[in-house]
Amino acid sequence: MRIDKYLKLTRIIKRRTIAQEACEQGRVSINNKVVKASNNVKVGDVIQIQFGEKLLKYEVLDIKEHVKKEDTESLYRML
């Protein structure tokens, strides 16, 4: 699954266009490598997102195409 779609699906970032812009600006990395919005995410990857001075890290636990809002927390773990 694409990183921009995963970030939107898990509700880490609310809109896919915002996730795409974050990737274009070099604020999103997977396993310490800056990625484009089209890069794929796999189970076990560590996603890092730079929000201003904050650096947020998430570990991918599961990937699903469709998920209910209340079940999104089971897809990742905050590090």
Side-chain angles (χ1 to χ4, degrees):
M1 176 180 292
R2 291 170 52 114
I3 182 69
D4 58 340
K5 186 174 180 181
Y6 184 81
L7 291 173
K8 189 250 183 233
L9 182 77
T10 58
R11 293 171 172 80
I12 292 172
I13 296 179
K14 299 292 181 196
R15 286 184 254 143
R16 190 167 174 182
T17 54
I18 303 296
Q20 289 171 337
E21 289 172 6
C23 291
E24 288 173 8
Q25 295 169 1
R27 295 187 290 150
V28 178
S29 61
I30 299 174
N31 300 327
N32 294 321
K33 182 181 175 219
V34 176
V35 295
K36 295 182 180 180
S38 61
N39 279 66
N40 287 324
V41 177
K42 299 181 297 282
V43 173
D45 284 347
V46 175
I47 300 170
Q48 296 180 13
I49 306 171
Q50 186 73 40
F51 284 118
E53 296 294 316
K54 283 177 147 178
L55 179 65
L56 302 175
K57 289 185 177 184
Y58 302 92
E59 181 183 0
V60 178
L61 300 177
D62 197 7
I63 297 175
K64 295 181 182 177
E65 288 295 322
H66 302 284
V67 65
K68 293 181 181 178
K69 184 177 182 178
E70 55 271 5
D71 296 334
T72 58
E73 297 272 330
S74 67
L75 299 179
Y76 64 90
R77 178 172 53 120
M78 194 167 191
L79 302 175

